Amino acid sequence: DQQVKQNSPSLSVQEGRISILNCDYTNSMFDYFLWYKKYPAEGPTFLISISSIKDKNEDGRFTVFLNKSAKHLSLHIVPSQPGDSAVYFCAATSNDYKLSFGAGTTVTVRA
Amino acid sequence: DVKVTQSSRYLVKRTGEKVFLECVQDMDHENMFWYRQDPGLGLRLIYFSYDVKMKEKGDIPEGYSVSREKKERFSLILESASTNQTSMYLCASSLMDRVGYGYTFGSGTRLTVV
């Protein structure tokens, strides 16, 4: 039973526009959330994270929002660039060193 | 930069074979993990280890075992490979107290069991 869910398997967005990726979780013990990016034939790479004591964290073009009451987080990419085309995984942990991952969302940025 | 190296990018094995997947990290990380990635299922944890000779089952350990004799090396063993173990296998490592910074992953091993 997946505790982290990414219900949109794919997203297509025009270059320069905003990409919004969504993630829901069921485990109320999760207290740290991360986003990973994965290109084909490569391992996932860490993108951005947020602690449960915050509701927003920003790093350049990437912003993660956390809504604890709704058990929902989102990743905003502004502006989207062709190099952002990849699979994005949402992950969460309750600080027991294990990450639980979602199924991933494939983002395609159109020129 | 932390490097996690998986010994093979692609492997093709026959049903019933014993398969070893090797992973080495070079930054003295305490934690090491094995995940498999399947379409629509994301990354699922098979086994992890937080110290030499220590191991714990993840979410899907059936059909797998692991070995960690040295801190830098974590091996995944398929005792008798089956076709449903065809998958992308990803090794990762992390510092014990830096889980918030996430894992460092290897490039993956694409295993096909025929």
Side-chain angles (χ1 to χ4, degrees):
Chain A
D1 188 30
Q2 280 198 301
Q3 300 181 76
V4 178
K5 297 180 183 179
Q6 295 176 256
N7 292 319
S8 297
S10 63
L11 172 70
S12 181
V13 64
Q14 192 148 13
E15 184 178 359
R17 306 294 290 267
I18 184 171
S19 294
I20 299 177
L21 291 76
N22 293 303
C23 178
D24 297 295
Y25 62 96
T26 58
N27 188 341
S28 57
M29 298 299 292
F30 287 149
D31 59 3
Y32 217 95
F33 305 88
L34 306 92
W35 285 93
Y36 279 80
K37 178 179 179 179
K38 185 181 184 299
Y39 293 117
E42 294 183 13
T45 54
F46 170 72
L47 192 57
I48 192 170
S49 64
I50 188 167
S51 162
S52 60
I53 62 173
K54 294 186 173 182
D55 54 18
K56 177 182 174 182
N57 189 27
E58 201 169 346
D59 184 2
R61 296 185 298 113
F62 302 92
T63 302
V64 56
F65 295 92
L66 175 62
N67 183 333
K68 288 189 294 293
S69 60
K71 293 191 178 68
H72 176 83
L73 63 155
S74 61
L75 174 69
H76 292 207
I77 307 173
V78 185
S80 299
Q81 299 175 352
D84 296 332
S85 295
V87 180
Y88 290 79
F89 291 100
C90 174
T93 180
S94 55
N95 213 23
D96 60 353
Y97 315 122
K98 295 184 293 182
L99 289 177
S100 296
F101 286 85
T105 297
T106 301
V107 173
T108 303
V109 180
R110 309 185 310 271
Chain B
D1 267 359
V2 176
K3 204 167 188 181
V4 177
T5 304
Q6 294 183 233
S7 54
S8 305
R9 293 299 297 270
Y10 300 94
L11 276 179
V12 180
K13 296 293 181 180
R14 295 194 179 278
T15 301
E17 275 193 78
K18 191 168 186 176
V19 181
F20 293 85
L21 302 183
E22 306 288 346
C23 175
V24 177
Q25 51 96 2
D26 65 0
M27 280 299 288
D28 206 33
H29 281 180
E30 294 90 357
N31 302 328
M32 295 189 76
F33 309 84
W34 276 105
Y35 283 84
R36 61 178 282 178
Q37 181 196 355
D38 300 289
L41 297 175
L43 279 70
R44 292 179 293 166
L45 181 63
I46 305 171
Y47 266 97
F48 68 102
S49 167
Y50 53 88
D51 201 353
V52 175
K53 297 194 187 293
M54 305 299 289
K55 61 185 179 185
E56 287 199 24
K57 294 179 180 179
D59 300 319
I60 51 165
E62 296 78 19
Y64 303 94
S65 63
V66 290
S67 172
R68 193 166 181 201
E69 297 295 320
K70 294 184 178 181
K71 191 174 186 180
E72 67 270 18
R73 187 179 295 270
F74 193 34
S75 303
L76 180 69
I77 303 155
L78 285 66
E79 298 291 344
S80 177
S82 64
T83 54
N84 63 13
Q85 292 178 309
T86 292
S87 186
M88 168 69 83
Y89 289 88
L90 291 159
C91 176
S93 70
S94 74
L95 285 167
M96 180 65 77
D97 60 348
R98 299 285 287 272
V99 66
Y101 290 85
Y103 300 166
T104 300
F105 280 90
S107 297
T109 296
R110 172 74 64 184
L111 173 67
T112 302
V113 182
V114 298

